[in-house]
Amino acid sequence: MKKLFRLLALTTLFFPTAFRTQAQDAGNFYQNLLISEEMRLEENSGKAQDSAGKLLDSKPETIKIKGPKLRKHTSVNKKTAQQTEDKKETYGNAPFGLIWGSSISDVKNMGVVLEAAGEKDYVNSFSASFLPKPVNEFRDVVLTFGEDDKLWRIIAYGNFTQDTPNASKILAVYNKYYKLLSQKYGNAKQFYTPKVTNVDKTVEIGGGKTKTVTEQVEEPIGGKNFLNELQTGEAVLYSTFENGKVGVALAVNVDGQNRSYIIIDYKNLKIMQARDQNTLDAL
């Protein structure tokens, strides 16, 4: 069985005592809506890495327009531009210079190169390169359009980091994006399930007698073996953000080679709610 994906969130002060809340206490909204199965399974990280490698040799397709078709092309461009503005007005701007609700052809027309990602649980998912606003700290970005051909989900995989045993390097990267996402989307919620170690302790019970009791000790965020705890799944820490329109999950994963990296999973809540409402109306 594949290892469960280890999730990590971090506050600006790195105080472990502030987040003793168990991950299972999170509401269904955050567990089921923002924390997707891709983010739980490490096998997806390998898939993303392979896709990113293939994209290095990709080139945007050159579109040639002949003179006689120029007028028609201009008309189509005006229509497309209006449709793009309508989608921006309805759903808003998406990360990396994209627009929520865009179709596959809309995104390609922006010069983005799409390569099928093959995610069985997400229809019409593509690894994207030549994004309008790329971020160098992400090695791969996957776009999901769904059966209705509307961009509703974006998941970005960060670059690999050769980390220290206490995961200090990726915590610094994570802390940076935690602040940015909190500022942009708000409603930050953080959940931490620490590794628990059983420690035997001898205590006096009176009359010169003693007995051995077992105490549970919770390991802190950024402890001396934190990277390994995340890799084995003994520690789970993640955060979510949402503004009523977009929901975001921020996490850290550690692969089998002790390489850490962040993942950001964006979902357009308005599109998801409309889809659910259409299903409800049909029942």
Side-chain angles (χ1 to χ4, degrees):
M1 181 180 294
K2 298 288 185 181
K3 294 184 296 180
L4 286 179
F5 172 65
R6 275 71 54 189
L7 299 171
L8 176 66
L10 183 69
T11 64
T12 56
L13 298 181
F14 295 91
F15 285 145
T17 56
F19 303 106
R20 298 299 172 127
T21 304
Q22 299 296 310
Q24 57 265 33
D25 290 338
N28 290 335
F29 175 81
Y30 296 102
Q31 290 288 345
N32 300 329
L33 181 60
L34 299 185
I35 304 301
S36 63
E37 192 62 21
E38 271 86 357
M39 298 187 72
R40 296 183 187 278
L41 298 177
E42 184 176 309
E43 61 183 347
N44 290 278
S45 65
K47 183 190 303 179
Q49 182 183 12
D50 293 339
S51 297
K54 293 177 183 178
L55 290 173
L56 293 178
D57 297 325
S58 299
K59 299 295 181 182
E61 182 179 354
T62 301
I63 302 175
K64 296 182 179 180
I65 304 171
K66 297 182 179 180
K69 296 183 179 181
L70 181 59
R71 180 174 298 177
K72 181 179 179 180
H73 177 75
T74 302
S75 176
V76 171
N77 274 349
K78 289 182 179 179
K79 181 179 179 181
T80 300
Q82 184 58 51
Q83 292 174 342
T84 298
E85 287 301 317
D86 292 343
K87 290 171 182 176
K88 185 185 298 185
E89 179 70 22
T90 302
Y91 302 114
N93 291 316
F96 307 107
L98 301 172
I99 298 172
W100 291 116
S102 296
S103 66
I104 295 172
S105 61
D106 290 338
V107 173
K108 287 183 177 180
N109 288 337
M110 298 176 72
V112 178
V113 174
L114 300 178
E115 181 174 325
E119 296 187 17
K120 62 180 182 179
D121 295 327
Y122 290 90
V123 179
N124 286 330
S125 288
F126 301 87
S127 292
S129 59
F130 301 99
L131 293 161
K133 295 181 180 180
V135 178
N136 291 334
E137 286 180 303
F138 295 97
R139 70 180 188 275
D140 191 29
V141 176
V142 177
L143 314 181
T144 301
F145 296 86
E147 294 180 353
D148 53 357
D149 195 14
K150 290 182 178 180
L151 178 61
W152 69 275
R153 176 177 181 259
I154 300 174
I155 184 167
Y157 296 86
N159 296 328
F160 290 115
T161 299
Q162 296 293 343
D163 218 331
T164 58
N166 63 353
S168 62
K169 292 182 180 180
I170 202 62
L171 290 184
V173 175
Y174 182 87
N175 190 38
K176 168 185 173 180
Y177 282 93
Y178 178 92
K179 293 177 182 178
L180 293 173
L181 292 171
S182 181
Q183 178 181 349
K184 183 170 184 177
Y185 297 99
N187 197 29
K189 295 183 183 297
Q190 303 166 104
F191 308 94
Y192 176 46
T193 301
K195 175 185 176 181
V196 177
T197 303
N198 292 326
V199 178
D200 292 334
K201 183 179 180 180
T202 300
V203 298
E204 295 183 1
I205 58 175
K209 297 181 179 180
T210 62
K211 70 174 183 178
T212 301
V213 298
T214 300
E215 293 184 350
Q216 292 188 329
V217 178
E218 296 181 349
E219 299 297 332
I221 297 171
K224 62 180 181 180
N225 296 313
F226 194 49
L227 189 71
N228 183 68
E229 293 166 12
L230 293 170
Q231 184 190 51
T232 60
E234 295 172 293
V236 177
L237 181 60
Y238 63 92
S239 68
T240 59
F241 314 81
E242 63 93 11
N243 60 7
K245 298 178 180 179
V246 178
V248 187
L250 172 64
V252 167
N253 196 12
V254 181
D255 70 4
Q257 301 179 48
N258 282 329
R259 298 180 301 179
S260 57
Y261 55 94
I262 64 169
I263 295 178
I264 304 180
D265 193 347
Y266 304 86
K267 292 177 180 175
N268 188 284
L269 305 181
K270 191 171 184 179
I271 295 176
M272 297 177 71
Q273 291 164 358
R275 187 184 300 150
D276 290 342
Q277 186 60 48
N278 290 338
T279 301
L280 181 61
D281 292 342
L283 296 178

